[in-house]
């Protein structure tokens, strides 16, 4: 089956879809894309074509496909009975994915991250030499500084706090519990 679009137009549609799907570019509407590639068919046919390309692009991006996986996946898409991918479109998808794979993956990771992530951690141990109460003198205190990077990439936040010996032991126990749960799911 021949592609309803030439290779340059398919690449333009894929770039537009990726900008809309992964980079939140709302200007990439169906009508805008249709106008830009000069599609002569009906709006319904173009919408169906876009949905097909979106589905394929979503599957490729979600799996973060390597080139050999991509070849096999696209080959299977050309053999579908209903709405198969054109053989002419396969090299265009490959070219697009080769150039956009890292950017799309980075956008997906950024989108899936929580409000922030730990960018840096520093700590030191201080021993109090002066205190209001005698029993607090010569007690070690952990001073912790965490740098939290915002998921949007807009800035960083510094979080500083102190912990006495008991708080440090409690925190280490919580971290050990987290590690146990992570190990449970990764093994």
């Amino acid at each position: 089956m021949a592609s309803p679009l030439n290779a340059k137009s398919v690449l333009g549609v894929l770039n537009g879809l990726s900008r809309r799907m992964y980079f939140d570019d709302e200007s990439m509407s169906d009508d805008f894309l249709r106008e830009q590639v000069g599609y002569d068919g009906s709006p319904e046919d173009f919408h169906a074509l876009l949905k097909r390309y979106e589905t394929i692009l979503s599957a490729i991006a979600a799996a973060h496909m390597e080139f050999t996986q991509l070849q096999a996946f696209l080959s299977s898409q050309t053999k579908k009975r209903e709405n198969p991918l054109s053989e002419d479109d396969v090299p265009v998808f490959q070219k697009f994915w080769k150039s956009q794979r890292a950017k799309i993956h980075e956008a997906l990771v950024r989108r899936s991250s929580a409000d922030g992530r730990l960018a840096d951690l520093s700590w030191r141990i201080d021993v109090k030499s002066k205190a209001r109460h005698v029993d607090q003198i010569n007690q070690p205190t952990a001073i912790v500084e965490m740098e939290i990077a915002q998921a949007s990439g807009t800035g960083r936040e510094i979080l500083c706090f102190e912990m006495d010996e008991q708080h440090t032991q409690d925190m280490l126990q919580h971290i050990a519990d987290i590690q146990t749960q992570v190990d449970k799911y990764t093994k």
Side-chain angles (χ1 to χ4, degrees), residues 4-15 33 36-39 53 92:
L5 298 172
N6 63 37
K8 186 176 178 182
S9 295
V10 172
L11 191 57
V13 167
L14 291 174
N15 280 310
L33 291 173
Q36 291 300 306
V37 299
Y39 185 77
Y53 286 176
V92 180

Side-chain angles (χ1 to χ4, degrees), residues 10-30 32-33 36 50 53-54 57-58 61 96-97 99-101 103-105 107-108 110-111:
V10 172
L11 191 57
V13 167
L14 291 174
N15 280 310
L17 286 174
S18 72
R19 286 177 56 185
R20 179 169 76 189
M21 294 167 64
Y22 303 109
F23 303 103
D24 301 321
D25 188 345
E26 295 175 13
S27 68
M28 295 292 145
S29 66
D30 290 1
F32 177 78
L33 291 173
Q36 291 300 306
L50 287 182
Y53 286 176
E54 279 180 3
L57 190 53
S58 292
F96 168 80
W97 189 241
S99 68
Q100 298 298 315
R101 179 177 187 252
K103 292 176 190 172
I104 290 173
H105 179 70
L108 287 172
R110 197 175 325 112
R111 197 182 277 176

Side-chain angles (χ1 to χ4, degrees), residues 151-162:
S152 61
T154 58
R156 294 178 183 257
E157 179 182 346
I158 304 292
L159 175 65
C160 296
F161 58 93
E162 294 183 16

